[in-house]
Amino acid sequence: MNSPGFLDIVSFGPDGWGHVLAAGAWMTILIALAGIAIGSVIGTFGAWAKISGGPVPRAIAEAYTTILRGIPDLLVIYLFYFGGSAVVTAVGQFFGAEGFVSFPGFVAGALAVGVTSGAQQTEVFRGAFRAVHPGELEAATACGMGRVLRFRRITAPLTLRHALPGLGNVWQVVLKESALVSVTGVVELLRQAQIGAGSTSLPFDFYFVAAMIYLAISTVSGAFLNASEHWFSRGVRRG
Amino acid sequence: MDIAFASETLMSLLSALPLTLELAVTAIALGSVVALALALARLSGILVLDWFARAYVFVFRGTPLLVQIFLIYYGLSQFAAVRHSIFWPILREPYWCAVLALMLNTAAYASEIIRGGLLSVPHGQVEAARACGMPRFMIFRRIVMPLAIRQALPGYGNEMISMVKATSLASIITLMEITGVAARIISESYRVIEVFVVAGAIYLAINFLLTRLIAFIEYRLTPHQRQPLAIHGELKGEAH
């Protein structure tokens, strides 16, 4: 193969990089989805702790959101990657394995992205819960709903509806943050672009294509989120 | 936690603090100029400038900062024209590439914040200034800009904090700022928790001070919103 041109990078042919870049983009989406899913669980508990937890859960949630919003995401990724490896190595040595065992980068990355986005989602859910009209919760209690039933039928759907715009912002942040997971060696979109740049000496072309793919993912998912926001808010009066 | 190791780590991380601050301050300062230009382009009413600023903001906010850093640091060297240009001594340096990427990135976010501030200036204020006979530039300097800054400051504060955090990415292109040194110590010693706690504490301290500083500036810029204490007491008395 002669020195490849720009078209070879985006083509899906035998010499093209299209397939591996698409696989990298898919991995990026998977990391972002896993991260935002982990973050939503943390965010739910965090919001619960801040709204109706006792003084101890509230203090923990407060410390968690303050710390995670004040330190760089890259540091959190290092914590999970190296920290996870240290734990796995210790467990491995306990069972008789020799030497250093590395922690899977995907798990470390998803956990790190999840923990950082969890801090943001805590605030999103807390704000969304405050937007739910107390009368609606009162009405549910008056109908004789138990706490679980009321949460499932009334609180959760109404909170989610108000949380959608905020969650859309968190999603965009998470998608861009997933690029940092490339430092752990997970072959997502940016890492794949790095590999391509290294083996063809066309760094600009590869990073440019990667940037365009990120832009496409964020634009398409943004449009989808807007549409779903519109759909789920059709019962909300505007203006 | 090993106190001796932690204090040793603290000393080596603190020696990297100047580089982190330098990156953040340079990027924010240069970025604010670009951001103001972009915001004015958006509001200029000239179609070409408007669309350029829109496209710029769309691209820089829609792609990860790390990709932008790589595109500038590794990508630009692909072109012989760049390697032979007068900018090469600058673009060859990882420091200036990091500053450039951070600056262009923060400009995109900050331009939207500044635009919001500029749009929030009440039309009556501008009209009054015009009625006083002020020329256009003087209106901008004396009326529009101070009011816009006051309005945009809280949002700009958040952007500054995310810039301080974003300087950590410079470590990926070999710059030894706080996160870079932290990663080196972790990979040498495998003591993750201590290094993470110390490095995190430094970033938290920077961001805490930054938040206080911005709150103080905001307080100074909004004297009209502070309630005079004496009148406050009288109003309370009337309520009875």
Side-chain angles (χ1 to χ4, degrees):
Chain A
M1 191 170 84
N2 301 324
S3 73
F6 183 77
L7 285 178
D8 292 318
I9 293 170
V10 291
S11 89
F12 282 84
D15 291 336
W17 287 78
H19 290 290
V20 287
L21 284 174
W26 179 236
M27 186 53 108
T28 285
I29 294 173
L30 284 183
I31 293 173
L33 284 177
I36 204 158
I38 295 169
S40 70
V41 175
I42 300 174
T44 308
F45 281 105
W48 167 80
K50 281 198 172 184
I51 293 164
S52 55
V56 177
R58 190 173 304 166
I60 293 172
E62 208 64 59
Y64 163 68
T65 48
T66 312
I67 291 171
L68 263 295
R69 284 190 302 177
I71 59 175
D73 311 328
L74 188 59
L75 213 51
V76 181
I77 290 176
Y78 284 145
L79 172 75
F80 277 91
Y81 183 57
F82 290 111
S85 301
V87 170
V88 171
T89 306
V91 171
Q93 274 164 358
F94 182 75
F95 287 106
E98 298 265 315
F100 179 78
V101 186
S102 115
F103 194 58
F106 181 86
V107 181
L111 280 174
V113 173
V115 167
T116 43
S117 82
Q120 295 160 8
Q121 291 190 58
T122 298
E123 299 300 325
V124 168
F125 285 141
R126 192 170 66 105
F129 179 78
R130 281 171 59 184
V132 176
H133 202 278
E136 290 179 291
L137 302 180
E138 247 167 48
T141 316
C143 288
M145 285 192 192
R147 282 184 61 172
V148 178
L149 188 64
R150 190 183 64 174
F151 178 82
R152 186 166 61 82
R153 282 214 193 140
I154 312 294
T155 314
L158 287 177
T159 306
L160 272 180
R161 172 202 278 173
H162 292 296
L164 260 179
L167 284 180
N169 288 341
V170 175
W171 165 253
Q172 301 286 358
V173 173
V174 162
L175 189 63
K176 286 181 273 177
E177 209 180 296
S178 74
L180 301 187
V181 178
S182 63
V183 298
T184 66
V186 180
V187 186
E188 41 70 79
L189 181 51
L190 183 58
R191 184 90 193 108
Q192 190 59 257
Q194 267 179 304
I195 294 169
S199 59
T200 58
S201 71
L202 285 175
F204 188 88
D205 299 37
F206 270 99
Y207 294 130
F208 181 76
V209 170
M212 288 305 117
I213 296 174
Y214 276 112
L215 205 56
I217 298 173
S218 77
T219 309
V220 171
S221 57
F224 174 74
L225 282 164
N226 265 342
S228 62
E229 191 186 315
H230 194 73
W231 174 253
F232 285 112
S233 302
R234 61 200 191 281
V236 182
R237 197 167 21 164
R238 300 209 176 273
Chain B
M1 203 166 130
D2 186 346
I3 298 298
F5 176 74
S7 65
E8 196 183 307
T9 307
L10 180 65
M11 289 335 275
S12 22
L13 288 180
L14 279 181
S15 67
L17 179 64
L19 182 57
T20 291
L21 293 179
E22 210 180 311
L23 280 169
V25 170
T26 321
I28 291 169
L30 295 175
S32 67
V33 179
V34 182
L36 181 62
L38 283 169
L40 291 176
R42 269 297 297 269
L43 298 172
S44 66
I46 301 168
L47 211 59
V48 181
L49 291 178
D50 185 15
W51 280 97
F52 170 78
R54 273 172 202 263
Y56 180 95
V57 171
F58 174 69
V59 170
F60 275 87
R61 290 206 308 183
T63 54
L65 175 58
L66 193 55
V67 175
Q68 294 159 18
I69 292 178
F70 281 177
L71 208 50
I72 291 173
Y73 182 59
Y74 296 114
L76 288 182
S77 64
Q78 182 184 322
F79 304 107
V82 176
R83 285 199 304 274
H84 296 130
S85 73
I86 47 163
F87 301 113
W88 185 236
I90 290 174
L91 292 173
R92 197 175 51 190
E93 294 293 328
Y95 175 80
W96 288 111
C97 286
V99 166
L100 190 63
L102 289 169
M103 170 194 110
L104 294 175
N105 184 270
T106 187
Y109 288 90
S111 81
E112 288 295 281
I113 297 168
I114 294 177
R115 191 172 68 93
L118 289 172
L119 284 175
S120 76
V121 176
H123 192 65
Q125 309 258 7
V126 180
E127 245 169 34
R130 208 175 288 152
C132 290
M134 287 191 195
R136 265 185 74 172
F137 184 72
M138 193 189 264
I139 294 177
F140 184 75
R141 185 168 60 83
R142 283 213 190 145
I143 313 294
V144 175
M145 215 44 213
L147 289 173
I149 288 174
R150 191 191 278 169
Q151 192 68 29
L153 199 62
Y156 214 114
N158 289 339
E159 177 54 27
M160 287 181 194
I161 286 171
S162 50
M163 260 304 112
V164 171
K165 290 161 67 180
T167 56
S168 65
L169 299 195
S171 66
I172 298 180
I173 53 168
T174 72
L175 284 177
M176 277 302 169
E177 43 67 74
I178 294 176
T179 303
V181 174
R184 198 194 63 209
I185 298 175
I186 290 175
S187 59
E188 281 168 6
S189 65
Y190 287 107
R191 298 166 89 160
V192 187
I193 302 294
E194 282 101 331
V195 180
F196 175 78
V197 167
V198 174
I202 295 176
Y203 278 108
L204 277 179
I206 301 173
N207 286 332
F208 177 76
L209 289 177
L210 190 57
T211 318
R212 301 313 306 160
L213 180 71
I214 291 158
F216 177 71
I217 298 172
E218 203 183 323
Y219 176 80
R220 290 300 301 270
L221 285 179
T222 51
H224 61 291
Q225 283 177 1
R226 274 177 253 158
Q227 212 148 36
L229 288 168
I231 294 174
H232 191 66
E234 277 168 31
L235 283 175
K236 245 186 186 170
E238 272 169 28
H240 286 291

